[in-house]
Amino acid sequence: MDHVSDVHPDTPASDALSPDALGGALRDIVEFVDQDGWDQPPMLFALVPTAALARSQPDLVDADDDSELSPIAQAPLPNPASAEDATAELERVLATTSWPPTVMGAALVQEITVVPPDEPTSEGRPGRVAAGALRDGRTLGLLQLRPEPGADPEAGIELLTHPDLAVELRTALAHTLDVDPAG
């Protein structure tokens, strides 16, 4: 696994990133996770500027990669048996995580059950939420619903978003960027 501390310190500020940088990184993360299918534990990612990563570790970046941010997967998170234990473990991890200044953002992807707001007693549908935050305060949440049985596997990944999607998770990720690890 790559270490985020290996990225060169002259990383540009997150305000130099385009408005689409976080969304592009989250899409990359969903596509990466989707390759291994469903029923996976949560995964945490550092978001580092691709240009800085290309300078410090050129073997990790494709020559034609024009993305602004590169997700770097962190150590796998535990997958506790119960939902309550999983929530407590995720809260603990996010409360104790901080990033070096070279990291411009953080993201997490986890599987959830989506229940329609107007039908709180209906059976939920499995989904995957990808949430991210940048040092400049921008956050975003994307939702991928698990395809129905028999769905066309070549249909591609459909991502949905809403301003209220994963607000608490986005806030927790933003707090991991507040702490100065040198301080």
Side-chain angles (χ1 to χ4, degrees):
M1 167 139 27
D2 306 316
H3 298 284
V4 295
S5 60
D6 295 339
V7 178
H8 197 270
D10 66 352
T11 302
S14 62
D15 59 2
L17 297 172
S18 78
D20 298 330
L22 182 55
L26 290 179
R27 178 171 254 310
D28 290 347
I29 289 168
V30 170
E31 289 173 354
F32 171 78
V33 171
D34 196 65
Q35 292 174 4
D36 289 333
W38 289 84
D39 304 316
Q40 297 182 55
M43 293 181 68
L44 184 62
F45 295 83
L47 303 177
V48 300
T50 302
L53 187 61
R55 284 191 304 273
S56 66
Q57 297 182 27
D59 56 317
L60 296 180
V61 179
D62 290 332
D64 61 347
D65 186 349
D66 62 354
S67 62
E68 293 179 78
L69 293 169
S70 289
I72 299 177
Q74 302 302 293
L77 298 176
N79 199 8
S82 75
E84 294 81 24
D85 289 346
T87 298
E89 179 62 17
L90 185 56
E91 288 173 354
R92 184 196 67 73
V93 167
L94 292 176
T96 59
T97 297
S98 63
W99 304 100
T102 54
V103 173
M104 289 290 101
L108 185 124
V109 63
Q110 75 177 89
E111 294 184 14
I112 61 170
T113 300
V114 180
V115 178
D118 54 344
E119 301 174 33
T121 58
S122 71
E123 188 171 319
R125 182 171 170 191
R128 184 179 282 142
V129 67
L134 297 177
R135 286 197 185 274
D136 66 7
R138 288 184 275 172
T139 67
L140 180 64
L142 299 177
L143 174 65
Q144 174 193 15
L145 293 173
R146 188 173 189 160
E148 296 287 346
D152 179 7
E154 302 298 318
I157 297 172
E158 179 182 6
L159 295 174
L160 308 170
T161 191
H162 188 277
D164 295 331
L165 180 62
V167 172
E168 291 177 5
L169 179 55
R170 291 168 21 206
T171 300
L173 287 164
H175 285 302
T176 68
L177 299 163
D178 290 344
V179 179
D180 177 7

